[in-house]
Amino acid sequence: KNEVEQSPQNLTAQEGEFITINCSYSVGISALHWLQQHPGGGIVSLFMLSSGKKKHGRLIATINIQEKHSSLHITASHPRDSAVYICAVSGNSGYALNFGKGTSLLVTP
Amino acid sequence: SQTIHQWPATLVQPVGSPLSLECTVEGTSNPNLYWYRQAAGRGLQLLFYSVGIGQISSEVPQNLSASRPQDRQFILSSKKLLLSDSGFYLCAWSAPWDTAYGYTFGSGTRLTVV
């Protein structure tokens, strides 16, 4: 089973700060996913990466396949970014995701 | 466009009672379907996945079961709930032609067993 580790576990930032959340995994993958879970529990898929970098609005996700590491960056953070951010990987055998435990982000005004 | 429906949103059930959670997908055919559970303070854990009607694979032994009676319908059941079954249950689907395709999650069911 692929072990997925996220850091930090909890993060508090002031509005406008640049935020980085890290994810590392133990074995080869077919893709890495960044997910956002709001307090109500619903989960939204932010990015799916297999190499390089993707950008959507103020969110940027990068992955280094050789180092088995990915980062999620939030530029100009805003209180509405407060949520749990979850890293998950899909393995080469396919089908299911292995999840990290999530990073709880709180952005204060 | 593809959508996924999951219900109910919240459920409080007594220990020993049965459970049935339903998930349906619209706008796609032959999706891969998944049930995940998130226990309090823990990460998401895969319970079951299905690649076709009647085909169910279980990842974790437990008193839960899953069924896929139709192509786009996935049901999570229990005959007798335990306190440890409390948690947040999520249904998801992914495209079968590419296992690296993005996942779409339902809105989840928060189950409290009392």
Side-chain angles (χ1 to χ4, degrees), chain B residues 79-107:
Chain B
K79 292 182 179 178
K80 287 186 178 182
L81 284 168
L82 305 173
L83 286 174
S84 57
D85 292 324
S86 293
F88 188 63
Y89 289 81
L90 279 160
C91 178
W93 77 272
S94 67
W97 51 90
D98 184 355
T99 54
Y101 194 73
Y103 283 65
T104 302
F105 290 87
S107 53

Side-chain angles (χ1 to χ4, degrees), chain B residues 1 21 27 30 51 56 69 98 111:
Chain B
S1 63
L21 303 180
N30 196 30
V51 300
I56 309 294
D98 184 355
L111 171 66

Side-chain angles (χ1 to χ4, degrees), chain A:
Chain A
K1 182 181 174 179
N2 210 338
E3 301 295 331
V4 181
E5 298 289 338
Q6 281 186 241
S7 62
Q9 193 172 358
N10 297 285
L11 183 56
T12 300
Q14 281 202 311
E15 185 173 358
E17 285 186 7
F18 181 83
I19 290 165
T20 296
I21 300 171
N22 296 299
C23 175
S24 60
Y25 53 92
S26 57
V27 299
I29 62 172
S30 59
L32 183 141
H33 305 254
W34 281 104
L35 311 168
Q36 181 190 55
Q37 185 173 30
H38 278 282
I43 291 181
V44 174
S45 180
L46 298 175
F47 294 104
M48 185 187 68
L49 295 164
S50 54
S51 65
K53 176 180 174 179
K54 286 190 176 181
K55 184 176 189 293
H56 185 255
R58 295 180 293 104
L59 302 177
I60 302 167
T62 63
I63 188 169
N64 184 316
I65 297 294
Q66 286 73 31
E67 295 186 2
K68 297 185 175 64
H69 180 271
S70 175
S71 293
L72 176 68
H73 305 286
I74 305 175
T75 62
S77 60
H78 190 275
R80 65 174 174 267
D81 297 326
S82 299
V84 176
Y85 291 84
I86 302 170
C87 173
V89 298
S90 44
N92 290 323
S93 60
Y95 298 134
L97 296 176
N98 286 326
F99 295 85
K101 293 185 178 178
T103 294
S104 180
L105 171 65
L106 175 65
V107 182
T108 58

Side-chain angles (χ1 to χ4, degrees), chain B residues 2 8-9 12-13 19 27 35 52 56 59 64-65 69 74 78 90 96:
Chain B
Q2 301 93 351
V12 179
Q13 291 283 97
L19 173 73
W35 278 110
I56 309 294
E59 291 291 305
L64 300 171
S65 62
F74 205 22
S78 174
L90 279 160

